[in-house]
Amino acid sequence: MINEAVLLESKTLRDSALERTEVLDRVKALSLLPDGMHVTTAMVAAYFGVGLEAIKSLVKDHKTELETNGYHLLEGEELRSFKDLSGIQSRTRSLAIYSRRAVLNVAMLLRDSEVARQVRTYLLDMEYAARTQPVDNSVHTAAASLDDRIDQRITHILGKAVVPMFNALIETSGEHRQELIALREDVQRVEQRLCDHDTRITDLERTRGPRQYTGIMASIDAMNWREFEDHIAVLLRRDGCTEVVVHGGPGDRGVDVTACTADGRTVVAQCKSFAPYRPVWSGELQKFLGASHVQHAADVALFVATTSFTPDARAIAESYGVTLVDRAHLEKWSAGVPLPVLR
């Protein structure tokens, strides 16, 4: 499994993921035009949190690829027909529209956008989860294994069998000697291209490296609020806590999970399963302070979220000793890295 940034480098990888347009709404809600199918350049820029020029520049550099996936510039009669059908009120002489597939394509090309980075990460999380599902069909597994490095096998055959065969034919042929020499050179060029391709792929995999915790956040994002609270309870038990109780729902007195550390300290946890683009605000930290410190007199106050925290929320947490577990720390904790405050 390779790092999400490799999607920026490899069109083959991008093409293999373009059907997963549902990822867009899982990372951030995508607003569509009245036709329910397209967005404009301004809407794409707003979704990714970048300026219009960033999207226009990207389209200029990758126009052919984006057109293949649903980008289109409307003009003249075509634009007038689209306005009539979709109900758009605009006086522009041209209008660029993007399908959801094209927007996903943009996400895999746009470098300076946190939303685009999250989409790429989510795509590879889903791909990793699909690839690591158990497969009962042993024939299918064997075939997949056979295809892993087929380019290397072809290179080996060309170098060890086909080229020597041409050498032997050239030595014994008179009339077709020049044709055989030309064919041998073609084969040697193919062999070199395959070697170069394998080297590029190997370099990408080595320099980018695997994401250490690939697949974890995709699984967590798929949980409902109750499953997420149960997941945090499991992590607390794994890290040595006892008396772990899930309180989430009506009457939880402002906390979702309570526990006791191995050395006897009381733990209260608030669990927020938010979309990655929706941070935890300071007001939510303030509510938790009252529950954790006043009502429960907690020794360890944990605020666990599937997203980030605003600077104001972090400042409050630091001032009052609340341990924040954001998306990145939650991923590591779920992967088996103990939470330091529980030790």
Side-chain angles (χ1 to χ4, degrees), residues 12-272:
T12 301
L13 282 179
R14 295 196 293 272
D15 289 344
S16 70
L18 282 167
E19 297 302 323
R20 298 186 179 275
T21 56
E22 72 277 8
V23 169
L24 294 169
D25 289 310
R26 290 198 177 189
V27 173
K28 182 179 179 180
L30 177 65
S31 299
L32 299 172
L33 289 170
D35 69 347
M37 297 173 59
H38 297 93
V39 296
T40 64
T41 302
M43 295 167 75
V44 174
Y47 177 83
F48 290 111
V50 298
L52 279 173
E53 291 305 315
I55 303 300
K56 291 179 179 178
S57 176
L58 185 144
V59 170
K60 182 179 179 181
D61 292 340
H62 302 277
K63 187 175 181 180
T64 301
E65 179 178 344
L66 289 166
E67 285 179 335
T68 301
N69 293 308
Y71 166 82
H72 188 55
L73 184 64
L74 300 173
E75 296 177 302
E77 184 60 34
E78 190 177 24
L79 175 58
R80 285 190 290 274
S81 298
F82 183 81
K83 287 179 180 179
D84 292 339
L85 290 172
S86 63
I88 295 176
Q89 302 296 322
S90 173
R91 296 182 179 179
T92 58
R93 294 184 178 182
S94 63
L95 179 69
I97 59 172
Y98 306 70
S99 66
R100 291 175 63 86
R101 187 181 173 101
V103 177
L104 184 59
N105 198 168
V106 171
M108 291 187 275
L109 291 166
L110 190 60
R111 294 178 181 272
D112 300 324
S113 165
E114 177 61 22
V115 173
R117 189 199 67 79
Q118 290 177 6
V119 171
R120 292 192 294 270
T121 300
Y122 212 121
L123 280 171
L124 291 182
D125 283 349
M126 293 175 67
E127 187 268 350
Y128 176 84
R131 285 177 52 189
T132 53
Q133 290 297 314
V135 178
D136 295 330
N137 189 335
S138 59
V139 175
H140 174 79
T141 303
S145 176
L146 182 64
D147 288 340
D148 278 347
R149 283 295 182 186
I150 194 159
D151 55 342
Q152 292 183 349
R153 288 172 170 79
I154 294 174
T155 304
H156 178 79
I157 292 170
L158 291 176
K160 298 299 182 181
V162 179
V163 172
M165 179 187 70
F166 273 111
N167 290 337
L169 289 171
I170 290 168
E171 290 297 324
T172 59
S173 176
E175 183 180 355
H176 301 291
R177 180 180 176 85
Q178 292 303 318
E179 294 178 19
L180 288 169
I181 290 174
L183 285 171
R184 181 184 65 182
E185 290 174 350
D186 288 341
V187 170
Q188 289 174 325
R189 279 193 290 271
V190 171
E191 179 187 5
Q192 185 59 52
R193 287 179 181 178
L194 285 170
C195 288
D196 293 343
H197 173 73
D198 183 69
T199 299
R200 285 194 296 270
I201 294 298
T202 302
D203 287 344
L204 277 173
E205 290 176 344
R206 180 173 60 250
T207 57
R208 301 297 185 184
R211 290 187 65 241
Q212 190 173 3
Y213 309 120
T214 299
I216 291 175
M217 289 312 300
S219 299
I220 292 176
D221 288 337
M223 297 176 182
N224 60 37
W225 65 270
R226 171 61 76 181
E227 291 169 337
F228 181 54
E229 291 171 1
D230 290 340
H231 175 68
I232 300 306
V234 169
L235 296 181
L236 290 168
R237 293 189 187 97
R238 188 203 66 197
D239 281 6
C241 291
T242 59
E243 301 177 32
V244 180
V245 179
V246 178
H247 302 275
D252 61 11
R253 295 179 64 199
V255 300
D256 296 318
V257 185
T258 58
C260 185
T261 63
D263 58 5
R265 290 171 295 152
T266 57
V267 179
V268 298
Q270 178 70 281
C271 309
K272 292 295 184 184

